[in-house]
Amino acid sequence: MLKKYGFAIVMFLICLVALVRTFMAEPDPLAFSPVVSYIVIGLLALAMIAVLILTIKGIFVERRWVFLFVGVALVLPYFMSITLKTKVSPEVQGLFNGVNALPPGSKVLVAFDYDPPSAPELQPMADAFMAFAFKRDLKLIIIGLWPQGPQQANLSITRAMAEPEVAAKNLRYGTDYVNLGFQSGNEFVIQSMGTSFRSMFPRDIYNTPYDEIPLLRGVENFSNVDFVVNWSSGYPGTKEWVQIAVDRFRVKVGAGNTAVQAPEMYPYLNAGQLTGLAGGMTGAAEFEMATNEYGRATVALLSQLFSHAVVIAFIIIGNVALFLGKEKKTR
Amino acid sequence: MKREVPIIITLVVGIVFILSYFIPHAPFGELETFYNEWFSIVASFAIWLGALNLMKLSFIRISRKQHDWQLSWVIVICFLVIVAVGFYDGYAGLSNNPQTSFRDPGTNFDWLYTYIYTPLSSTMFAILAFFVASASYRAFRARNTAATLLLLAGFLVMLGRVPLGDILTSYLPEGWRASDWASWIMNFPHTAGQRAIKIGVALGIVSTSLRIILGIERSHLEG
């Protein structure tokens, strides 16, 4: 194995040491000035044009070059000082409107149904929502149908509490928010919650019995919560919340999904079964914009833009290669 | 009896679930809750079975020195470390007053989760971006009419989902820009296609479920 991957491991370690040394020497975030940023963009564009010219000449680039371009396009924007603003789509506006319409004191069930791999897309949405909800004095009941969900919720709570406006409210666990933890059983958990929350979550993550939590007094089932927000990256997730909580128990559900999962939710969105939907990094950036809680998604949007541009350029180059190949064959 | 008992259990539970959907009152409502609780118990055991099975397979791989057996040591050590730390923090939390959770910020488990598990699993997911790019380069080619339509749809959605699309089409009137094309594709042709797939899948699930409940389909009892 060492023979096979030895060179790659050594190269990786050298890069890692170089990066660590750079960041140790420069503890402040590295950032290019806008001029340097535009020069870098220009160089990247020139490199893509060079690939196009090579393709026209009949020299096709290997897969490794595609990887290199995507890698550069994803990493460089993090060092650029260009800020991008996007238009809030009707889907995200629907989610925002659903939350924004809730009066202070409303009880919102927040289901964290994802794990760290999907966190780059979903955590910014959850962070923005958590800060926004706390500022609007919404009462949050947190659960997870994925084992890692409650831990991801804790991250969002910690980040929201670090904001001065939220910290000043002196919010208390058990009165303003509660984390009921993970429960196994997938959609059957949602189904049982339709009858009794207590049966599925008899204790919170601190082992406090359900009946001793002030926020949960009078909360028996879905009829006692005003809105459900679901951050989801697969099964069980938004589809199950719609099919059971919305269709059977008439609950209002808004969701945030990964870019891969979001397209599957459009039929539910267009049928009015979902109040709103934030999809992927773009959806997260739009939600941050709608809630005025700017965070990591807005920063990552530039990275997303670059990677999309590179993929689009390679699709064009791929088609040029296809047509040139056809032409050669007909000759 | 080995085959009859599971078939009878499936028949009874299946019929109760169907009836309780339409009649959510006693006794079906209570029975449904009872079965749901049992499902959670079985699912909890399944998690343990999965974890223990992973350990068993890893140990077999190590003992037989199968291909890349050294990597199985990584699985075993990581599993044991995270379980030990989780149990230790969980146990320590029980004796605190008020009780704390092993997931709380500052615990050893949280440190492992935040600084080891999260970056590693995020890296695995991030690699997807490279494969998607490579696959798009190779697959999105205008070979025929259907492929050209797919190419155009993918191209427009990708362009419309980032601000670049609106920057490039800013000269067009409001409602006709790249983000609007992307929204139109997602809301109409895409939704229509998704609905057709979902209805087809639902009909398939209904027919398969009925076959299982009635004991016609028995393949799940094998193995």
Side-chain angles (χ1 to χ4, degrees):
Chain A
M1 199 176 70
L2 266 177
K3 259 188 188 174
K4 200 172 163 188
Y5 300 112
F7 180 70
I9 291 169
V10 169
M11 287 305 290
F12 175 76
L13 286 174
I14 290 170
C15 291
L16 197 69
V17 169
L19 270 175
V20 169
R21 278 193 62 82
T22 310
F23 282 106
M24 277 171 72
E26 190 79 43
D28 294 328
L30 289 171
F32 306 149
S33 67
V35 178
V36 176
S37 303
Y38 287 120
I39 291 171
V40 170
I41 294 169
L43 287 173
L44 197 65
L46 281 175
M48 293 300 308
I49 292 167
V51 173
L52 180 66
I53 292 167
L54 282 175
T55 310
I56 292 168
K57 283 185 175 175
I59 306 162
F60 304 126
V61 295
E62 274 183 51
R63 186 190 302 191
R64 276 175 283 186
W65 283 98
V66 181
F67 290 168
L68 180 71
F69 271 98
V70 173
V72 168
L74 284 166
V75 173
L76 277 181
Y78 281 100
F79 300 101
M80 291 182 180
S81 48
I82 302 169
T83 45
L84 267 181
K85 290 227 168 172
T86 183
K87 193 168 81 175
V88 179
S89 63
E91 297 91 323
V92 177
Q93 192 63 45
L95 175 65
F96 172 74
N97 292 345
V99 179
N100 197 38
L102 297 167
S106 301
K107 284 174 179 156
V108 182
L109 181 77
V110 197
F112 280 76
D113 301 337
Y114 66 92
D115 55 359
S118 327
E121 286 181 329
L122 297 175
Q123 200 66 38
M125 299 178 195
D127 291 352
F129 167 78
M130 202 63 82
F132 182 70
F134 281 148
K135 284 177 189 170
R136 287 189 47 81
D137 294 323
L138 301 178
K139 308 286 180 191
L140 305 182
I141 304 164
I142 295 157
I143 64 160
L145 300 183
W146 286 41
Q148 299 88 345
Q151 192 117 359
Q152 295 299 133
N154 275 352
L155 289 173
S156 284
I157 292 168
T158 312
R159 282 188 192 130
M161 291 294 176
E163 283 197 31
E165 198 182 328
V166 179
K169 286 185 177 280
N170 203 17
L171 299 170
R172 283 187 306 159
Y173 180 85
T175 311
D176 298 295
Y177 64 98
V178 65
N179 191 342
L180 295 178
F182 159 71
Q183 179 57 272
S184 61
N186 305 332
E187 62 265 49
F188 290 95
V189 176
I190 308 171
Q191 202 159 317
S192 290
M193 287 172 76
T195 320
S196 164
F197 280 18
R198 191 183 289 99
S199 68
M200 283 294 108
F201 296 95
R203 288 168 183 271
D204 73 347
I205 57 166
Y206 298 111
N207 215 22
T208 315
Y210 190 94
D211 292 319
E212 287 177 21
I213 301 165
L215 175 60
L216 300 175
R217 270 183 211 132
V219 179
E220 283 300 319
N221 51 40
F222 286 126
S223 343
N224 309 115
V225 294
D226 302 288
F227 198 77
V228 173
V229 177
N230 175 233
W231 310 120
S232 154
S233 64
Y235 171 78
T238 306
K239 194 171 148 189
E240 286 68 37
W241 279 101
V242 170
Q243 288 178 347
I244 299 162
V246 176
D247 283 359
R248 197 166 172 197
F249 299 106
R250 307 287 165 210
V251 185
K252 277 187 186 171
V253 174
N257 286 181
T258 52
V260 177
Q261 194 192 355
E264 211 191 321
M265 299 306 142
Y266 272 77
Y268 302 127
L269 190 70
N270 288 326
Q273 288 162 300
L274 264 181
T275 306
L277 177 73
M281 192 66 82
T282 316
E286 288 173 14
F287 191 65
E288 282 181 354
M289 200 174 168
T291 52
N292 207 22
E293 297 288 345
Y294 292 98
R296 285 176 301 163
T298 310
V299 177
L301 196 62
L302 192 64
S303 196
Q304 176 115 346
L305 184 149
F306 267 51
S307 58
H308 275 221
V310 165
V311 172
I312 287 170
F314 269 110
I315 290 172
I316 294 168
I317 293 167
N319 280 283
V320 169
L322 175 79
F323 285 114
L324 286 178
K326 272 184 188 170
E327 240 177 53
K328 270 185 189 171
K329 269 187 190 173
T330 45
R331 272 182 209 164
Chain B
M1 286 301 278
K2 256 187 174 178
R3 292 178 74 85
E4 280 77 10
V5 172
I7 289 171
I8 292 166
I9 294 172
T10 313
L11 179 76
V12 172
V13 175
I15 288 174
V16 166
F17 267 107
I18 293 171
L19 287 174
S20 64
Y21 187 86
F22 297 103
I23 315 165
H25 307 291
F28 300 111
E30 281 76 6
L31 274 174
E32 189 196 22
T33 311
F34 175 75
Y35 288 145
N36 281 342
E37 282 168 8
W38 263 100
F39 186 89
S40 289
I41 294 165
V42 173
S44 306
F45 273 100
I47 293 172
W48 270 106
L49 272 178
L52 293 175
N53 197 39
L54 178 71
M55 283 299 94
K56 186 184 146 191
L57 290 176
S58 303
F59 278 121
I60 289 172
R61 208 182 176 88
I62 292 166
S63 64
R64 290 182 189 166
K65 292 215 181 328
Q66 287 173 347
H67 182 63
D68 282 346
W69 60 275
Q70 298 93 332
L71 296 177
S72 294
W73 273 118
V74 179
I75 296 174
V76 172
I77 293 166
C78 290
F79 180 86
L80 293 177
V81 166
I82 205 130
V83 166
V85 171
F87 273 114
Y88 173 77
D89 282 354
Y91 182 73
L94 287 176
S95 55
N96 289 345
N97 191 22
Q99 287 180 356
T100 53
S101 166
F102 64 94
R103 302 182 189 93
D104 282 350
T107 58
N108 300 314
F109 185 85
D110 182 66
W111 191 90
L112 286 174
Y113 184 85
T114 311
Y115 297 109
I116 295 182
Y117 178 67
T118 301
L120 283 176
S121 49
S122 299
T123 305
M124 289 300 290
F125 195 67
I127 290 170
L128 198 68
F130 296 92
F131 291 122
V132 167
S134 174
S136 310
Y137 174 45
R138 283 152 194 276
F140 274 176
R141 294 191 179 179
R143 287 193 182 91
N144 49 45
T145 317
T148 311
L149 280 173
L150 182 72
L151 164 73
L152 275 174
F155 188 89
L156 292 176
V157 170
M158 253 194 285
L159 195 66
R161 282 287 181 242
V162 285
L164 176 70
D166 278 354
I167 295 168
L168 291 175
T169 54
S170 56
Y171 58 91
L172 291 172
E174 190 74 40
W176 291 91
R177 293 179 186 159
S179 60
D180 303 306
W181 307 339
S183 287
W184 184 84
I185 290 169
M186 293 304 287
N187 284 315
F188 296 97
H190 167 80
T191 303
Q194 277 282 344
R195 279 195 180 133
I197 294 167
K198 277 183 190 299
I199 292 168
V201 170
L203 289 174
I205 291 172
V206 169
S207 62
T208 311
S209 304
L210 279 175
R211 283 172 64 86
I212 291 171
I213 289 169
L214 298 173
I216 301 165
E217 177 75 49
R218 297 179 182 197
S219 55
H220 64 289
L221 299 174
E222 289 162 11

